[in-house]
Amino acid sequence: MANLLVIGTQWGDEGKGKIIDLITPSFDIIARYQGGHNAGHTVIVEGRKIILHLIPSGILRPGKLCVIGNGVVVHPKALLDEITELESYGIEIDDNIAISKDAHLIMPYHSLMERMSEERRGAKRIGTTLRGIGPCYEDKAARRGIKAGDLLDLTVLEEKIQDNVEEKNIYLKAQGVSQLSPKEVFEQYNRYASRIKNYIKDVSLLLDEKMKDDQSVLFEGAQGTLLDVDHGTYPYVTSSNSTVGGVSTGLGVSPDKIHSVLGVTKAYTTRVGEGPFPTEIFEEAGKILLQRGNEFGATTGRPRRCGWFDAVAVSYACRVNGIQKIAMTKPDVLDGFEEMMICVGYRYKQDLLRHFPTESWILNEVVPEYKKVRGWEGPISDLKAFSDFPEGFKDYIKTIEDLIEARVVLVSTGMERKDTVFRKEDLRPWLDLEKIEAEL
Ligand code: GDP
Ligand code: IMO
Ligand code: MG
C-alpha cells in the first residue's frame, strides 16, 4: 500500500490512537514525527485500555516496525516505563522500535523550568502538560540540546550535560530553586543509555531503505492542527509542527512520500488546557459531552473543555494539511440530542469571518454563527453500514462534509476496533480493508 498520514484536525484527542491501531494491519511501519509524551493515544483491545504516549499506536500489532523520528522529543524514563508497561501486556519490544539518533532528549531541568514558567504566567498560563516538551524544543532551537545519538558516546554526553546543567543552574539559583548536579544527571542518563542504545538508529536512512523495499508507512500525528506552533492558536499551542510539514522535517523523508492524508475529526470539539475556544459550551450540553464522551485527558487526567462542532476550524485544518478525507470519531456521544449546533462562521465586530483566524485575541472575541441541526435517537454504535445510520446522523455528516469540503470516509461509533463503519469504496485505494477486517 501507499503511505498515509493520520492527523488531528482540532485541538488533539480526536481519537487518532483508535484509528491508527485500527488501520495498522494495512501498513508495515508506523512513524511518529513530532511531540513527545504530552500525547496520550488511547487504544482499547478486547476491553483492555492501553494509553500510548511516545511509542506509535501501531505497536499493539505484532510484526510492525514503530519509529520515533527526529522531530519527537524523548523522555528516556517515559519511554522505558512505556516499554515495561507494554511488555507487561505480553507485547514484545525488541527490534520493532527505532528511535532517531537526532531526536532531542527531555532532561530533568526541562520540566522544572516549565513548571516555573507556568507558575510565573499565572492567569496567562498555557496549561501545558508539564512534561518538559516546550523547554526541550527551546533548547533544540537554541542549538544546545542533547540528542538520543549522544547517548551512544558517553564522553560527548557527559560534556553536553555538564554545559547544560551549568547554564541552567545559573537560572535555578536566581530563582531560589535548588540546583542540579551534573554528575547525578549524567549517571542517570548513562543508565538510560545502556537500556535504550540498541533502539537508536538513523531513522531517515532506515525509512528510505524500507520504502525502497516496498514497505509502506503510516505517519502518526500527535496533538492536532490547532495546537501546531505555527498554524495553531499561538501562544496556546504545543511547541512542534503537528501539521503535515512536520512529517518531512520530523522524520527526514521527502514530502512526496506522504501519499495521502486522513484527517481525524471528533463529531464535536474538545480542548484541554488554556486558550481560545469559540464553540465551547458552558451550559448543560457541555457537561453531557464531558460525561458521555468521558472527556478526561489521557495524559494528565484533566477534564476536557467541550463544545459544538466548529466547521470554520476544521475546514482550516483541511486546507493546511491538504485533507480531503476524514475519519469521524465519537458521534455516538451525540446520540439522543434533539438538536445540535454546527459553527459555520465567526462574527467579529462588524464582519462575518469564514476563515479561521489564528490570533488568540480575535478568537477570544468572536461570536460563533451557528446552524441549528436536528439530532438522532441512536444508539448508533451497533450499526455496521453507512446506510444503516439514522437520517438525522446522515444529515449531520452531509452538513459537515459540505462545510469542510472533505468526505467522511470512516465513522468510529465506539472505542473498540469493531465499532467502525467504513465507506469502503473511498478507502479501498488507501487501505487493505480485507487485512483490517480480518484483524478486527
Ligand atoms: P488521541 O489523542 O487523538 O489518540 O485521542 P485520545 O485517546 O486522547 O482520546 C480519545 C478518547 O475517545 C479515547 O478515550 C478513546 O478510547 C475514545 N474514543 C475513540 N473513538 C471513539 C468513538 O468513536 N466513540 C467513543 N465513545 N469513544 C471513542
Ligand atoms: P494528543 O496527541 C490534547 C495541549 C496541552 C496544552 C498545550 C501545550 O493526545 O492529541 P505541551 O505540554 O504540549 O507544551 O502543552 O497543548 N496538548 C494536548 N491537548 N491532546 C494532546 O495530545 C496534547 N498535547 C498537548 O493541554 O494546552
Ligand atoms: Mg490524546
Side-chain angles (χ1 to χ4, degrees):
M1 295 308 297
N3 303 332
L4 176 70
L5 164 62
V6 172
I7 197 161
T9 61
Q10 292 151 318
W11 278 287
D13 302 328
E14 296 91 351
K16 300 175 291 294
K18 145 130 193 199
I19 302 298
I20 288 157
D21 165 72
L22 174 78
I23 65 175
T24 285
S26 191
F27 299 88
D28 299 300
I29 302 169
I30 301 83
R32 275 276 303 267
Y33 57 92
Q34 46 73 232
H37 65 312
N38 50 349
H41 297 175
T42 314
V43 179
I44 313 278
V45 187
E46 286 156 12
R48 192 171 61 191
K49 179 173 172 177
I50 302 175
I51 302 177
L52 283 316
H53 298 286
L54 258 175
I55 298 179
S57 308
I59 195 70
L60 307 179
R61 309 282 194 163
K64 304 295 173 186
L65 174 64
C66 288
V67 167
I68 294 178
N70 60 280
V72 176
V73 287
V74 177
H75 189 286
K77 184 169 185 315
L79 176 75
L80 290 167
D81 287 350
E82 198 160 314
I83 291 175
T84 308
E85 193 183 341
L86 288 167
E87 284 173 340
S88 77
Y89 298 136
I91 296 156
E92 234 174 273
I93 307 289
D94 189 8
D95 51 5
N96 53 344
I97 66 171
I99 300 165
S100 168
K101 64 184 176 60
D102 293 314
H104 280 248
L105 297 179
I106 299 184
M107 305 299 293
Y109 43 80
H110 288 139
S111 29
L112 260 179
M113 312 221 14
E114 179 167 25
R115 201 170 285 276
M116 289 191 286
S117 158
E118 284 284 88
E119 272 168 23
R120 199 172 49 246
R121 281 171 181 264
K124 289 185 183 162
R125 71 186 176 278
I126 291 161
T128 72
T129 60
L130 298 175
R131 296 294 190 272
I133 307 291
C136 183
Y137 280 114
E138 280 177 43
D139 276 354
K140 173 178 174 173
R143 295 155 298 179
R144 63 167 91 87
I146 302 177
K147 295 186 180 193
D150 298 333
L151 296 173
L152 302 178
D153 185 326
L154 295 179
T155 315
V156 172
L157 181 69
E158 187 164 23
E159 187 184 335
K160 287 199 175 182
I161 289 181
Q162 180 74 35
D163 291 348
N164 272 279
V165 173
E166 265 175 26
E167 194 177 331
K168 296 298 187 295
N169 275 344
I170 298 171
Y171 178 78
L172 296 177
K173 192 174 171 193
Q175 297 294 315
V177 176
S178 58
Q179 297 174 56
L180 294 166
S181 147
K183 187 166 169 283
E184 280 174 22
V185 176
F186 171 67
E187 279 166 4
Q188 189 184 16
Y189 276 66
N190 187 1
R191 282 195 296 276
Y192 296 147
S194 62
R195 294 180 60 197
I196 290 178
K197 62 174 190 260
N198 289 343
Y199 305 129
I200 299 171
K201 305 266 164 67
D202 181 336
V203 154
S204 164
L205 182 64
L206 179 75
L207 287 177
D208 190 57
E209 286 169 355
K210 300 271 182 198
M211 288 189 285
K212 280 184 179 144
D213 204 22
D214 264 351
Q215 298 210 10
S216 56
V217 188
L218 173 55
F219 301 111
E220 170 170 345
Q223 288 82 53
T225 301
L226 307 178
L227 287 171
D228 181 282
V229 67
D230 285 287
H231 302 291
T233 51
Y234 191 90
Y236 299 96
V237 291
T238 192
S239 300
S240 64
N241 284 117
S242 45
T243 51
V244 62
V247 176
S248 196
T249 54
L251 282 161
V253 298
S254 58
D256 62 312
K257 301 292 187 302
I258 310 164
H259 301 135
S260 4
V261 189
L262 177 67
V264 185
T265 301
K266 209 177 265 188
Y268 48 97
T269 316
T270 60
R271 168 162 214 172
V272 57
E274 307 302 319
F277 183 177
T279 63
E280 184 166 9
I281 310 172
F282 298 97
E283 301 84 41
E284 187 57 24
K287 286 197 200 103
I288 296 174
L289 295 179
L290 175 82
Q291 275 150 18
R292 275 206 219 146
N294 194 22
E295 294 294 355
F296 294 90
T299 295
T300 59
R302 292 176 290 177
R304 296 173 182 148
R305 299 152 65 192
C306 295
W308 298 119
F309 188 87
D310 186 342
V312 182
V314 177
S315 68
Y316 169 68
C318 291
R319 163 158 60 90
V320 169
N321 297 301
I323 296 169
Q324 293 176 355
K325 297 188 182 182
I326 291 280
M328 180 186 274
T329 59
K330 305 188 86 162
D332 52 300
V333 173
L334 301 175
D335 282 350
F337 272 100
E338 254 169 48
E339 54 185 34
M340 287 172 290
M341 304 294 178
I342 294 177
C343 175
V344 298
Y346 296 150
R347 291 243 164 245
Y348 180 62
K349 299 187 174 163
Q350 309 310 319
D351 298 323
L352 180 63
L353 310 182
R354 297 279 181 193
H355 300 289
F356 190 78
T358 53
E359 294 83 350
S360 45
W361 65 91
I362 297 180
L363 286 166
N364 275 333
E365 299 267 308
V366 300
V367 177
E369 179 85 356
Y370 282 121
K371 179 182 167 83
K372 195 184 280 183
V373 295
R374 68 175 168 144
W376 58 90
E377 201 151 298
I380 57 169
S381 45
D382 290 328
L383 304 178
K384 293 285 164 244
F386 203 89
S387 53
D388 297 340
F389 286 151
E391 290 308 311
F393 181 36
K394 282 190 201 154
D395 288 349
Y396 189 75
I397 293 176
K398 179 78 174 65
T399 305
I400 287 174
E401 287 180 328
D402 290 345
L403 288 164
I404 66 173
E405 295 178 79
R407 185 162 163 90
V408 174
V409 293
L410 184 160
V411 180
S412 168
T413 58
M415 294 181 285
E416 298 264 0
R417 290 169 175 168
K418 64 170 176 48
D419 305 326
T420 310
V421 171
F422 300 97
R423 267 181 159 169
K424 293 189 179 175
E425 66 287 6
D426 294 289
L427 284 165
R428 206 151 263 135
W430 288 8
L431 299 177
D432 187 332
L433 289 167
E434 283 65 40
K435 269 194 192 162
I436 292 172
E437 287 183 323
E439 292 195 32
L440 272 183

